Amino acid sequence: MTVEERSTTLASELAKAERTVHPIAQLTLAGDLSLAEAYAVQLAGVAQRADQGDPVVGLKLGFTSREKARQMGVHDVILGVLTGAMDLGGQPRIVRGQLIHPRIEPEVTFRLGPGAAEVDLADPRVSLLDHVTHVAAAVEVIDSRYRDFRFSLEDVVADNTSAARFAVGTWVPIDEVRHRISSLPVSLRANGEVIAEGNTAAILGDPLATLVAVQRLAAEHGHPLPASAVVLAGAATPAVVMTPGVTYDVEVTGLGGVSVRVEE
């Protein structure tokens, strides 16, 4: 079996787990999987989504919290892909039965201008920071396709960094908040009760630093960057298990908020 054939096969296994809402064993339990091979599996899955009419709309980072990275024994962030079907839109809600074991993370997200799609990300003269037009509070719903939400670094990369759903609040022009985005309080509420608090400083020390990492990893692994792409910068608090009947509200001081309702 060629590398391409193996990547396609493994991506199909993960896609089936997501489609049937039935978790599978970690891929690495069945054989070696390098980080480069894991990214190949991820991108094979993205290509399968695109073939089914689910286009790429952006990128996301994982392990941007230094504490979480230490827990996983990794020394770098990881890159995932966002597609149109993951976007919860203007009235965000999820149906619990459509996901395996969803968890919610409060995040900061950036929007890039249309010209970002035309740049050569490998060109050292290019900076994605120059293409950021807006920023917003956001919610990411992660949902590992592996049993018991357990995985290695290579497993989670192959599984597209557990990407499942996301919702974005009101966009704010980046020039209005660029000078203070590195330290904004973040809160996560469940039916009005605060269940997690953090600060945007937890995202690589400054959420703007994530654009440098996104550019580096996208160039290295061949990730597509569409026009007006959305970039999820990473979580400002630990992920929280989602419960049916609960409305989760994220607030980022100075950026606004966004809510997601979980239905049976």
Side-chain angles (χ1 to χ4, degrees):
M1 183 181 295
T2 66
V3 172
E4 182 177 355
E5 290 171 338
R6 186 186 184 212
S7 298
T8 299
T9 298
L10 295 179
S12 296
E13 291 179 13
L14 289 163
K16 181 179 179 181
E18 181 177 4
R19 184 176 63 254
T20 61
V21 198
H22 188 77
I24 61 175
Q26 298 173 45
L27 300 182
T28 53
L29 295 179
D32 292 338
L33 187 69
S34 70
L35 187 58
E37 290 169 337
Y39 273 112
V41 174
Q42 180 191 115
L43 290 176
V46 171
Q48 290 173 2
R49 290 175 183 269
D51 289 344
Q52 296 165 5
D54 185 15
V56 173
V57 297
L59 299 172
K60 56 159 287 192
L61 282 183
F63 297 150
T64 52
S65 163
R66 289 186 172 89
E67 180 180 354
K68 189 171 182 179
R70 283 196 298 267
Q71 289 174 348
M72 288 296 296
V74 300
H75 305 287
D76 196 6
V77 293
I78 56 176
L79 188 64
V81 180
L82 303 173
T83 66
M86 298 178 189
D87 188 349
L88 292 172
Q91 294 183 316
R93 68 179 185 89
I94 65 170
V95 177
R96 178 63 184 84
Q98 294 178 352
L99 298 169
I100 299 171
H101 27 216
R103 303 182 182 191
I104 187 169
E105 296 179 340
E107 303 214 4
V108 169
T109 187
F110 298 105
R111 189 170 71 190
L112 306 182
E118 307 301 324
V119 303
D120 178 3
L121 297 178
D123 187 339
R125 297 169 297 178
V126 170
S127 172
L128 281 186
L129 288 166
D130 296 334
H131 293 271
V132 176
T133 62
H134 293 78
V135 62
V139 160
E140 184 182 10
V141 177
I142 57 174
D143 187 33
S144 174
R145 270 56 74 166
Y146 302 116
R147 294 188 191 115
D148 303 318
F149 218 99
R150 295 178 62 85
F151 42 75
S152 69
L153 174 64
E154 292 77 16
D155 286 315
V156 71
V157 167
D159 191 27
N160 194 23
T161 66
S162 303
R165 305 285 190 273
F166 71 94
V168 177
T170 301
W171 291 109
V172 177
I174 185 63
D175 290 341
E176 293 184 9
V177 295
R178 184 189 296 268
H179 63 290
R180 53 189 172 88
I181 196 174
S182 64
S183 184
L184 298 176
V186 177
S187 66
L188 174 63
R189 289 178 168 83
N191 285 344
E193 178 182 353
V194 176
I195 57 172
E197 292 182 294
N199 192 285
T200 56
I203 306 171
L204 289 186
D206 182 344
L208 287 170
T210 64
L211 277 300
V212 177
V214 165
Q215 180 174 342
R216 171 174 57 84
L217 291 172
E220 180 178 350
H221 298 290
H223 284 63
L225 186 67
S228 302
V230 172
V231 177
L232 286 178
T237 75
V240 174
V241 175
M242 303 184 80
T243 303
V246 175
T247 297
Y248 295 90
D249 299 291
V250 165
E251 182 74 22
V252 181
T253 301
L255 293 184
V258 60
S259 300
V260 174
R261 174 74 178 175
V262 184
E263 300 180 355
E264 292 284 0

